[in-house]
Amino acid sequence: MRSLEITGTTGVLGVFGCPVEHSFSPPMQNAAIKELGLDLVYVPFKVAPQDLEAAVRGAAALGLTGFNVTIPHKEAIIPLLDELDEEARLVGAVNTVVYRRGKLVGYTTDGYGFLKALSEEAAFDPTGKECLILGAGGAARSICISLGRSKAATLTIANRTKPRAERLAAEVARLTGVKSMALPLSGPALQDAVGNCHLLVNATSYGMYPKHECPPIIAEDWLSPSTIVCDIVYNPIETSLLRAARRRGCSVVNGCGMLVHQGARSLELWTGCRPPVAVMKRKLLQSLRERS
Ligand code: NAP
């Protein structure tokens, strides 16, 4: 591995967000860039919502190689782009922007990262499976669309604010053709869904640092040992839900794999290189340990 050296030819990648200081992408992407020996550097850019358009124009003027966008820009960036990848169009959000033949092309890599982590860590294939997703925000939407496109049998979406779950279920059914239902985040119908699903995903921010000392988002004794339980929260690495699921004998998948694979896919889109996933994961875990 060579050390990162900035010269007159170094290309720039980055992430636009607000706030952006918390992002784990810079350490993870720069570790990958070093490993691959690429003449690139990945930088965080704090971009306020009202400055997004100027930042996108500026990025083109400065010749950035490509960039990620994170909260609050994932939807607002869409009208500023020339083309959208099919999945980004369905999800209605973008996290990766690529310059291609003078055009700005938007992608979302969250769904890819999610499926790749489940496949690698739990050998999970969504085809024909009953899936229960807790949450109806941006991450839940990406996950539902990717599970729907992968031919899951059913999607049940449970959310604290039930009307949001109803809207997402209706939309996912319309966009993917997969049977989708909505539930509140408590009660006997949820207990039944938890006990009978092949895959349970927490896509809410419940259990996230600094409010991580909390009971699991659903009752531990509702979980069946045959269910794969995934929590996309990555800080802490093991949430109270995953600890409960482990005690029940379930296979568990934490949020780190999704974060690494979505970043790896972005790097692949920008450079065409095969990303060093193990190096990225090691760096992410080190950064998480340093910050906790
Ligand atoms: P978001 O759009 O703000 O949605 C937040 C969701 O969490 C909503 O469904 C909200 O329910 C629910 N929620 C918040 N607090 C809750 C509580 N105390 N009890 C129950 N439900 C609660 O956020 P997002 O972008 O989808 O992100 C959600 C989580 O996923 C975050 O922790 C984020 O860090 C994580 N994430 C991880 C990855 C990864 O790569 N591992 C990628 C993206 C996101 P209401 O609708 O009722 O408000």
Side-chain angles (χ1 to χ4, degrees):
M1 193 198 300
R2 74 175 176 93
S3 66
L4 186 66
E5 201 180 304
I6 296 179
T7 70
T9 60
T10 304
V12 178
L13 294 165
V15 53
F16 297 1
C18 191
V20 77
E21 300 86 319
H22 67 284
S23 173
F24 289 98
S25 295
M28 210 168 66
Q29 295 290 5
N30 284 314
I33 287 166
K34 269 193 209 170
E35 178 70 18
L36 292 169
L38 298 172
D39 191 12
L40 287 169
V41 62
Y42 185 103
V43 185
F45 293 103
K46 187 170 180 178
V47 176
Q50 67 274 18
D51 294 331
L52 181 63
E53 189 171 350
V56 171
R57 274 205 311 273
L62 292 168
L64 259 65
T65 304
F67 56 93
N68 286 128
V69 288
T70 185
I71 291 168
H73 305 311
K74 286 183 167 189
E75 291 159 23
I77 188 118
I78 290 178
L80 306 174
L81 303 175
D82 300 306
E83 288 172 18
L84 272 189
D85 170 67
E86 170 73 0
E87 181 138 336
R89 190 180 62 72
L90 292 176
V91 172
V94 158
N95 75 341
T96 305
V97 177
V98 178
Y99 290 96
R100 186 166 299 133
R101 293 181 286 279
K103 290 194 168 166
L104 283 173
V105 187
Y107 292 83
T108 177
T109 65
D110 282 342
Y112 168 88
F114 169 75
L115 291 178
K116 187 84 177 162
L118 276 172
S119 155
E120 278 198 352
E121 296 176 34
F124 180 76
D125 172 1
T127 312
K129 302 293 192 326
E130 317 270 333
C131 304
L132 171 60
I133 296 90
L134 311 181
R141 189 180 163 87
S142 291
I143 286 169
C144 288
I145 296 281
S146 62
L147 288 169
R149 276 163 61 89
S150 304
K151 305 272 175 283
T154 61
L155 296 171
T156 303
I157 301 164
N159 197 45
R160 180 177 61 176
T161 312
K162 194 180 165 211
R164 256 186 119 181
E166 285 165 351
R167 281 196 297 277
L168 181 58
E171 226 177 329
V172 170
R174 180 176 63 80
L175 293 170
T176 68
V178 169
K179 188 175 167 203
S180 306
M181 293 142 285
L183 291 178
L185 201 49
S186 59
L190 181 67
Q191 176 175 1
D192 196 47
V194 170
N196 289 302
C197 61
H198 296 108
L199 173 72
L200 167 65
V201 184
N202 176 41
T204 75
S205 41
Y206 180 93
M208 193 168 86
Y209 179 86
K211 295 185 179 165
H212 56 296
E213 303 287 355
C214 55
I217 189 163
I218 42 108
E220 180 171 337
D221 60 5
W222 290 2
L223 289 164
S224 151
S226 60
T227 299
I228 294 172
V229 178
C230 171
D231 198 329
I232 69 162
V233 168
Y234 50 82
N235 190 11
I237 296 168
E238 186 160 85
T239 59
S240 54
L241 172 65
L242 292 190
R243 279 198 302 277
R246 207 185 280 283
R247 283 193 295 268
R248 291 288 289 172
C250 305
S251 296
V252 300
V253 177
N254 65 38
C256 294
M258 175 176 173
L259 190 60
V260 167
H261 285 293
Q262 61 79 31
R265 178 70 187 135
S266 298
L267 189 64
E268 192 175 10
L269 286 166
W270 294 318
T271 66
C273 296
R274 193 167 165 189
V277 171
V279 169
M280 296 174 82
K281 189 156 194 180
R282 213 162 36 242
K283 189 65 189 181
L284 171 66
L285 294 175
Q286 183 197 334
S287 305
L288 276 165
R289 271 195 302 273
E290 282 168 5
R291 283 197 219 171
S292 61

